[in-house]
Amino acid sequence: MVEGSGMARFTAWLRRPSTRNWLTLAVGLAITVLAFLTLSRLLDDTPLDMIGPAIAAIPVSTFLAAVAFTIVSFMAMAAYDVIAVEHTAPGRVPLSVAALVGAGGYAISNALGFPFLTGGAVRYRVYRRFGFEPVDVARVVGISWFALWFALAVMVGVALVADPADVPWLQEFPLMLDVGIGAAILVLVSVLVLWLATGERGVRIKHWHLPLPNGGAAVAQILAGIVDVVAAAAVLYVLLPEGTVSSFTVFAIVYAMATVAGVVSNAPAGLGAFEATIVAALGLGGRPDALAALVVYRLIYTLMPLIVTMVGLAASEIALQRHALSGQMAMAARIVEPMAPPLTASLSFLGGLVLLVSGATPLLDARVGSLSAILPLPFIEFSHLAASFVGVALLVIARGLARRLWRAYVLALGLMLAGAVFSLSKGLDWEESLVLLSFALFLYVFRRAFYRREDDAPLALNWRWLATVMAALIGCAWLGFFAYSHVEYANSLWWDFALDADAPRFLRASVLVFLVMAAAGLELWIHQRHGHRVVDPLPDSVRALVAAAPATNAQLALLGDKRFLVSDDGTGFVMYAQSGGSLIALGEPVAAPDKVAELAWAFRDMADRRALRPVFYEVGVEHLPLFLDMGLTALKLGEVARVDLEQFTLSGAKRQDLRTAMRKAEREGLEFAILPAAEVPTVLDEMRAVSDAWLDMKSGAEKGFSLGYFDPAYLSNFDHAVMRKDGHVVAFANLWRSGHHEEMSIDLMRHVPNLSRGIMDALFGHVLMAAKDEGYRWFNLGAAPLSGLVDRRGASRWNRFGSLLYRRGNDLYSFDGLRGFKQKFGPVWSPHYLICPRGLDTARSLIDVTSLISRRPSEG
């Protein structure tokens, strides 16, 4: 039994999303480490100083052929988006825009890694301007990925059928088996295309549904994919020295396997895993000319498209700023501008790699000799360490650039300029300095794109990104140990300071780099584990506005778990809190009618600057057009019950149950009273005992944000309706009073369990009559969740799901009972809504709101 329960716990642990994420990262890093260890063994006899001459020996015609094949490959990548966009939303996106986004998006994702995530982010930013929802973008990216993977499959299948004899790792198998595998792959792809042609098809992965292309689109995408993969393979094929591989068909299989290995690893652009597969499969160990071909392949196929994209975007932005573009060219330039942040992230990552690679390889003796005549050795040593620090810092902050964070922009600009200086002062590496200065200039050109100021996560780090950075650092460390493989390592190396002591400088820099990485991981862990909600002290202007507000829910500003966005003139505010990736405002802005729109837009802009989702929770129907104009969507949460006190009376047949409950309470010795706020501290201990007993009965915990909780400082702000028995408080509710006698309501309602049936009916009856006697216009009974949602064929998915939950969830949560309790007072029902972004962000917003409300006060 114990063993079985342990296995069950282990299985449950494996099923957790967080566990799967960690395992994915661990497997990716393990593949990266294994790849570089394999490279170390395979290239053990390869002289590093021969790679430069080998690159110089490559004929110009070969370079031009590689560039030509790269252009063909990226034209095919552009076709991915053109075909996918036309299939998803015919005629909605100009084909020129789709082609630019396709080619530029792949240039970025090929360099930065995680093509599905980075490519999807780029496309979402561009295509949403044409009315694309996230599911449409997912379809575009999914169709393109379909093309890539099936093109790889077709290429492998054709190669196995045409020339399987010399395929590495398959030579031990019978020839007919190889041919059979290739034929089976081709047959399966053909069957899939025929299946797609017979109707609408899709793939469901848990809650995700990805529509697949129809037969015609699938064939077009596979053809584009074949052109892309064949051209990409040809880039490396023409660069490899003659005699390296027997035929292109054999090389195609090796290239496909290397591509898959690179995708599985967490390294950017599959660095390390791709090279290890090529070297191992083709037996290229010990050949500097083959290693030179791999280096040039990376420069031409990975780096060159990134630089071309950078130059093109920078030129279009400069022309736009000078009003030198007009018509369709200007429109296209504005549309593709969202590609700038992920591109700058790639350049930051690349700039960091340049510095780290330079720090891991020997300096040029002639330049160091010239530098030593100008700068003392300690300054050179410091510059080497500083350049390595700048390198790892540029890797870490790159994700913040992709999220348009102003803080990341300022840091990246400063680090690139500092890196340019340190590159000169550590070894007169003017080439690196020029690269970093050009990247800094690109950042400056697009400075307007970085406007977000995110307080909660300053650099937008997550574990997946740190795993990518770690993979890059592992590669740089491997390069250093490979470059100094001839050095005999000893403890004395750590303290060897000399102009020709390159290996000791590399060791010291490596320690610094991994310490910085450890610090970044520790900061992220502390932030995620021990981060807390930041709240503001209650401004005096807010307290005055709460007292005058016409709606009673403004009183929740006094709860002590919120922050405040106050208007410049102090006449209005928005109360909000952050949860997950959402900035959640409670209700509409508390302000005069002519200030509501201004404050709502200010809140939305603030959320955008912080790279967070803007969410308005529990808003009424009055300002619904305002939120729809913001491009947000409205989900009906239920209905709010308000009693018209001018019409309310205890007389009549409809109030018989209420009168009976009040008389019964009197017979049982229960006395009603309204306790002034000044006297509340004297009975707080009694009220706490009532509250604790009530919570035990409900088997629940305190909520927050949109609901009051038992907090002495909060409750002392209000008068309380209490029921006493034998002089002791047995039930209580704090009273919210709006300004100008517009509305009264009850917030926290607690009573001793099993004391008197109908005690809360009696309490409500007394409070309603007290509110009427005091001259209030309305009494707010609060909301009935999911009440009033429409369940018809044409209704939205949310309405139909909410209606289903209302019907089926009644056993767990008495939706009907709550509405029925409030209905006995004859209220007027009005809808209230959750306002949030569309698409996938809607589900995330709902999760964040639920988490915020359910969080215990002690956690905030």
Side-chain angles (χ1 to χ4, degrees):
M1 289 293 290
V2 174
E3 183 177 345
S5 62
M7 180 59 69
R9 288 195 298 269
F10 178 73
T11 303
W13 177 76
L14 285 178
R15 290 176 178 174
R16 293 179 187 171
S18 59
T19 302
R20 291 197 297 269
N21 289 338
W22 277 104
L23 288 176
T24 301
L25 299 180
V27 169
L29 284 176
I31 291 174
T32 300
V33 172
L34 181 62
F36 282 111
L37 289 176
T38 303
L39 279 176
S40 296
R41 182 177 61 82
L42 295 173
L43 303 177
D44 188 43
D45 299 327
T46 305
L48 187 63
D49 56 355
M50 295 299 294
I51 295 176
I55 293 175
I58 298 175
V60 175
S61 59
T62 301
F63 277 105
L64 294 177
V67 171
F69 282 123
T70 299
I71 293 172
V72 172
S73 177
F74 275 84
M75 289 175 64
M77 291 183 197
Y80 287 162
D81 270 52
V82 171
I83 297 170
V85 165
E86 277 299 290
H87 173 70
T88 302
R92 193 185 298 179
V93 180
L95 298 186
S96 58
V97 172
L100 285 172
V101 173
Y106 278 105
I108 295 169
S109 59
N110 283 354
L112 198 57
F114 302 118
F116 194 86
L117 297 177
T118 54
V122 169
R123 286 160 178 78
Y124 178 67
R125 291 189 180 105
V126 175
Y127 293 147
R128 68 180 177 182
R129 300 189 178 191
F130 299 95
F132 272 48
E133 295 288 346
V135 66
D136 299 321
V137 177
R139 188 172 188 173
V140 170
V141 177
I143 291 174
S144 300
W145 260 62
F146 164 87
L148 174 63
W149 287 103
F150 280 91
L152 286 171
V154 169
M155 193 168 71
V156 170
V158 170
L160 286 174
V161 171
D163 187 15
D166 297 323
V167 175
W169 301 317
L170 296 181
Q171 296 167 340
E172 303 299 325
F173 296 99
L175 185 63
M176 293 307 297
L177 178 61
D178 297 341
V179 174
I181 293 173
I185 292 174
L186 296 177
V187 169
L188 286 175
V189 172
S190 301
V191 170
L192 176 66
V193 172
L194 292 174
W195 176 66
L196 292 174
T198 59
E200 294 186 2
R201 304 295 185 181
V203 175
R204 182 172 295 278
I205 304 174
K206 292 187 177 180
H207 304 298
W208 287 73
H209 178 73
L210 180 64
L212 294 176
N214 57 32
V219 171
Q221 284 282 41
I222 290 176
L223 290 176
I226 292 173
V227 173
D228 166 30
V229 176
V230 169
V235 175
L236 181 55
Y237 182 75
V238 299
L239 289 170
L240 287 171
E242 292 185 10
T244 302
V245 62
S246 60
S247 68
F248 183 77
T249 53
V250 172
F251 179 74
I253 296 179
V254 175
Y255 186 86
M257 290 188 294
T259 301
V260 173
V263 170
V264 173
S265 73
N266 280 309
L271 194 65
F274 177 87
E275 284 78 7
T277 306
I278 294 290
V279 172
L282 300 180
L284 302 179
R287 296 193 58 172
D289 53 353
L291 194 57
L294 285 168
V295 172
V296 174
Y297 167 80
R298 286 297 189 182
L299 293 175
I300 292 177
Y301 192 75
T302 303
L303 183 59
M304 185 187 74
L306 193 69
I307 300 300
V308 170
T309 304
M310 178 189 78
V311 173
L313 277 180
S316 65
E317 178 68 11
I318 293 171
L320 273 177
Q321 292 177 10
R322 295 184 176 182
H323 305 288
L325 291 179
S326 60
Q328 290 188 349
M329 290 294 294
M331 181 194 72
R334 291 190 183 95
I335 287 172
V336 299
E337 184 274 336
M339 296 172 63
L343 178 58
T344 56
S346 300
L347 296 179
S348 176
F349 205 94
L350 180 60
L353 285 179
V354 167
L355 289 171
L356 291 172
V357 168
S358 176
T361 51
L363 299 175
L364 297 177
D365 293 338
R367 295 186 184 182
V368 174
S370 301
L371 183 64
S372 63
I374 305 171
L375 298 175
L377 178 60
F379 200 91
I380 296 174
E381 294 282 358
F382 170 79
S383 297
H384 192 278
L385 281 175
S388 297
F389 172 82
V390 170
V392 68
L394 284 172
L395 299 186
V396 170
I397 68 171
R399 188 171 187 269
L401 290 173
R403 293 177 63 82
R404 297 177 176 263
L405 298 186
W406 170 257
R407 186 181 287 106
Y409 162 74
V410 173
L411 285 174
L413 189 62
L415 288 169
M416 286 179 181
L417 295 175
V421 174
F422 292 135
S423 293
L424 294 174
S425 59
K426 76 179 178 65
L428 291 180
D429 294 325
W430 58 267
E431 301 94 340
E432 299 167 16
S433 184
L434 284 178
V435 167
L436 290 168
L437 287 174
S438 65
F439 290 175
L441 178 61
F442 181 83
L443 264 180
Y444 180 75
V445 167
F446 281 95
R447 60 194 179 278
R448 295 184 301 177
F450 304 96
Y451 57 88
R452 290 173 168 169
R453 288 167 170 81
E454 187 172 4
D455 296 334
D456 189 58
L459 297 177
L461 297 180
N462 62 18
W463 293 113
R464 182 172 291 277
W465 181 252
L466 290 186
T468 300
V469 174
M470 180 59 75
L473 295 184
I474 291 171
C476 293
W478 169 85
L479 180 62
F481 284 109
F482 175 72
Y484 302 113
S485 57
H486 61 284
V487 176
E488 294 184 5
Y489 290 94
N491 291 335
S492 60
L493 279 179
W494 295 100
W495 317 111
D496 188 1
F497 297 94
L499 289 177
D500 61 348
D502 291 321
R505 273 192 289 269
F506 157 69
L507 290 175
R508 291 189 289 268
S510 296
V511 172
L512 175 64
V513 163
F514 282 98
L515 283 176
V516 171
M517 187 64 188
L522 181 63
E523 190 279 334
L524 178 60
W525 181 82
I526 292 174
H527 174 77
Q528 290 187 346
R529 288 279 182 171
H530 306 291
H532 60 278
R533 286 184 283 172
V534 179
V535 297
D536 289 340
L538 188 67
D540 292 337
S541 59
V542 168
R543 185 176 289 275
L545 290 168
V546 167
T552 51
N553 65 349
Q555 307 289 331
L556 285 165
L558 309 178
L559 193 54
D561 62 351
K562 299 173 182 66
R563 304 196 72 181
F564 301 96
L565 172 65
V566 183
S567 62
D568 294 336
D569 58 5
T571 60
F573 70 90
V574 177
M575 49 182 159
Y576 67 92
Q578 182 178 339
S579 177
S582 301
L583 204 64
I584 303 167
L586 182 59
E588 298 100 336
V590 179
D594 60 338
K595 291 286 186 180
V596 169
E598 179 183 341
L599 267 170
W601 275 104
F603 177 80
R604 193 196 192 291
D605 293 342
M606 180 176 68
D608 185 54
R609 288 194 304 272
R610 297 184 181 181
L612 299 170
R613 290 179 289 273
V615 178
F616 296 84
Y617 181 63
E618 292 188 343
V619 303
V621 71
E622 180 182 359
H623 296 105
L624 208 52
L626 166 65
F627 300 113
L628 297 180
D629 288 343
M630 292 180 180
L632 304 175
T633 191
L635 303 182
K636 188 174 180 180
L637 297 174
E639 294 178 309
V640 175
R642 300 173 78 212
V643 178
D644 184 349
L645 292 176
E646 292 182 354
Q647 305 296 325
F648 180 77
T649 177
L650 288 176
S651 61
K654 292 182 179 180
R655 304 290 180 262
Q656 177 63 47
D657 292 343
L658 197 57
R659 294 195 302 272
T660 300
M662 295 171 71
R663 287 195 297 267
K664 182 175 182 292
E666 290 179 8
R667 290 195 303 269
E668 293 176 350
L670 295 172
E671 300 176 353
F672 173 81
I674 293 182
L675 198 65
E679 298 180 19
V680 168
T682 64
V683 295
L684 276 173
D685 290 341
E686 294 183 41
M687 289 168 54
R688 183 180 292 278
V690 172
S691 178
D692 291 345
W694 187 86
L695 288 171
D696 289 341
M697 175 189 68
K698 295 293 185 180
S699 300
E702 296 279 23
K703 306 300 183 184
F705 188 66
S706 64
L707 300 167
Y709 50 83
F710 195 95
D711 177 70
Y714 169 66
L715 294 177
S716 296
N717 290 294
F718 310 106
D719 295 348
H720 279 63
V722 299
M723 299 288 281
R724 286 191 173 103
K725 185 170 185 178
D726 300 328
H728 298 289
V729 175
V730 294
F732 71 89
N734 61 311
L735 301 180
W736 284 349
R737 289 182 166 91
S738 74
H740 310 292
H741 285 75
E742 178 67 19
E743 183 178 81
M744 181 188 286
S745 64
I746 284 177
D747 173 29
L748 208 64
M749 299 172 288
R750 305 283 162 89
H751 64 86
V752 174
N754 304 319
L755 178 67
S756 173
R757 187 178 179 88
I759 187 172
M760 295 313 291
D761 284 3
L763 181 66
F764 264 97
H766 284 296
V767 171
L768 281 163
M769 293 309 298
K772 181 180 178 71
D773 293 341
E774 291 181 29
Y776 281 89
R777 174 72 176 84
W778 295 93
F779 190 91
N780 192 323
L781 293 169
L786 304 180
S787 171
L789 272 65
V790 177
D791 185 16
R792 300 180 68 89
R793 185 185 299 273
S796 69
R797 292 190 185 95
W798 167 253
N799 270 269
R800 299 178 71 178
F801 172 75
S803 298
L804 176 66
L805 186 62
Y806 185 90
R807 296 192 308 271
R808 301 293 178 84
N810 206 51
D811 293 338
L812 296 176
Y813 188 95
S814 183
F815 295 111
D816 277 339
L818 182 61
R819 182 181 174 90
F821 172 79
K822 296 179 179 184
Q823 184 64 39
K824 70 176 67 174
F825 299 100
V828 176
W829 295 93
S830 57
H832 71 149
Y833 298 88
L834 171 73
I835 308 295
C836 61
R838 300 175 182 272
L840 297 178
D841 284 335
T842 298
R844 294 169 180 157
S845 300
L846 284 166
I847 293 171
D848 290 343
V849 168
T850 303
S851 174
L852 179 62
I853 295 171
S854 300
R855 202 176 301 171
R856 296 185 182 211
S858 59
E859 296 173 339

